[in-house]
Amino acid sequence: MDISDIITYLQKEKEKKTLQNLQKDFYVKVSELLKKYKKQLEAYKSDRKENREVIATIDRLKESLSELINIRISKIMMYTVLEVKEDLNK
């Protein structure tokens, strides 16, 4: 998994009204990806350009992941409200 996979999941989640399936162990793999970038950050401490690039990648990853999670939470809440509303109408 890499950042492009997360962006792809984000795009699908934005485009579809329903909650999209995520890859098995998605969040575990995202955590591993973040750890990999943080190790790279440690390795590039002496190289300012490489260091900035890794920081920018980590920031993009965190922003994309945050947006994905927020969209998914909104969808879950919306479906929960709709389900309760249906139950109340019955």
Side-chain angles (χ1 to χ4, degrees):
M1 172 176 290
D2 63 16
I3 191 165
S4 65
D5 295 322
I6 294 167
I7 292 170
T8 300
Y9 281 115
L10 176 58
Q11 282 306 115
K12 286 180 182 178
E13 204 67 54
K14 284 180 175 180
E15 292 170 359
K16 307 287 182 173
K17 289 185 179 184
T18 59
L19 199 60
Q20 300 303 294
N21 290 329
L22 296 178
Q23 167 182 340
K24 185 177 180 178
D25 299 333
F26 174 80
Y27 295 104
V28 171
K29 291 181 181 188
V30 168
S31 176
E32 291 169 356
L33 182 61
L34 274 170
K35 287 176 188 175
K36 179 184 105 175
Y37 284 127
K38 287 181 180 180
K39 283 182 185 177
Q40 284 181 357
L41 197 57
E42 290 294 318
Y44 294 138
K45 274 189 174 179
S46 61
D47 187 338
R48 294 179 67 106
K49 180 183 178 198
E50 292 290 334
N51 194 300
R52 282 192 306 264
E53 289 175 6
V54 173
I55 289 171
T57 301
I58 290 171
D59 288 344
R60 278 194 312 271
L61 175 64
K62 287 180 177 180
E63 287 171 13
S64 297
L65 185 60
S66 177
E67 188 175 359
L68 176 65
I69 289 169
N70 287 333
I71 291 170
R72 292 178 64 79
I73 289 171
S74 294
K75 287 181 179 181
I76 290 168
M77 290 174 61
M78 180 186 69
Y79 289 121
T80 302
V81 167
L82 288 175
E83 189 173 311
V84 168
K85 196 172 181 179
E86 279 183 17
D87 288 346
L88 289 173
N89 287 336
K90 290 179 182 179

